[in-house]
Amino acid sequence: MKKKTKFVVEPFNNIQIIGINTSMPDYQLAWNLNNVLKLNLVKYRNITTDGENFFSFYLYDAGENSNTFNLVALNNEDVKWVSFSPQTDYIFIVRNYIKESEFQQFLTNIKSISKVNHAYVIDLQNNSKIGTILEDIELHEMDVVDEMNRKLKSSNRY
């Protein structure tokens, strides 16, 4: 009898995630988040899960020893990457340490955006779907950053 291979997803440290339910398109939500949270989320190449379906990806890196932020769409027209309860259209990821009071202020500010129907903290410990999504997002971000670095190096040659 052949042994089954079991993958174990390591827990992600220093990550907090806010699930967002809204009918806004990604660019409008990103603009609003930039405005109320004083960020600079920028759209990069979409994440693909199967070569056919693409999901919006935004990134803002506040610099070394600071936070990194992602806004990722979970829906693309009628296709869902993953379904959460309550309904979640986007996840807003905050990486690296953030004071609880500052994170709660982010949540309050996101809830204040007029077309945001609901925003909530996703429990990383009790959500079985989030681990693989975070891995996909992290790998995609590494590819995007590598691509940006290659472009920067090639433009500095001249």
Side-chain angles (χ1 to χ4, degrees):
M1 188 159 151
K2 192 174 184 181
K3 272 187 165 183
K4 290 184 181 180
T5 304
K6 185 174 181 179
F7 293 100
V8 178
V9 177
E10 294 296 321
F12 289 86
N13 293 326
N14 289 325
I15 290 183
Q16 302 229 29
I17 302 175
I18 297 173
I20 301 171
N21 172 264
T22 181
S23 60
M24 279 188 274
D26 59 280
Y27 64 88
Q28 191 176 23
L29 178 58
W31 184 89
N32 278 285
L33 291 173
N34 284 340
N35 192 37
V36 300
L37 302 178
K38 307 300 182 228
L39 302 177
N40 188 24
L41 290 165
V42 175
K43 184 169 181 161
Y44 289 95
R45 181 172 35 92
N46 292 336
I47 295 176
T48 181
T49 56
D50 56 10
E52 291 181 23
N53 297 303
F54 297 90
F55 302 92
S56 297
F57 174 81
Y58 289 77
L59 169 67
Y60 171 59
D61 188 339
E64 193 172 336
N65 299 322
S66 295
N67 296 103
T68 300
F69 303 90
N70 296 114
L71 175 65
V72 180
L74 298 179
N75 301 326
N76 179 6
E77 297 183 19
D78 293 335
V79 177
K80 289 188 181 290
W81 184 355
V82 67
S83 294
F84 287 114
S85 183
Q87 181 180 332
T88 307
D89 301 303
Y90 299 92
I91 54 175
F92 179 71
I93 303 167
V94 181
R95 277 190 272 126
N96 299 330
Y97 174 77
I98 185 170
K99 291 180 189 173
E100 183 61 27
S101 60
E102 188 177 348
F103 181 74
Q104 288 303 319
Q105 188 60 53
F106 275 16
L107 181 59
T108 300
N109 290 349
I110 291 170
K111 288 179 178 181
S112 76
I113 298 170
S114 66
K115 291 184 181 178
V116 168
N117 302 322
H118 184 59
Y120 67 100
V121 178
I122 294 178
D123 183 357
L124 298 176
Q125 304 304 320
N126 296 318
N127 190 312
S128 61
K129 300 174 184 176
I130 201 70
T132 53
I133 293 170
L134 289 176
E135 282 184 352
D136 289 345
I137 292 168
E138 191 171 305
L139 289 171
H140 181 74
E141 183 177 322
M142 289 184 333
D143 285 346
V144 165
V145 169
D146 285 347
E147 187 177 302
M148 288 183 339
N149 288 336
R150 282 192 305 274
K151 286 180 182 179
L152 184 62
K153 284 181 182 178
S154 68
S155 68
N156 287 339
R157 289 182 186 168
Y158 302 104

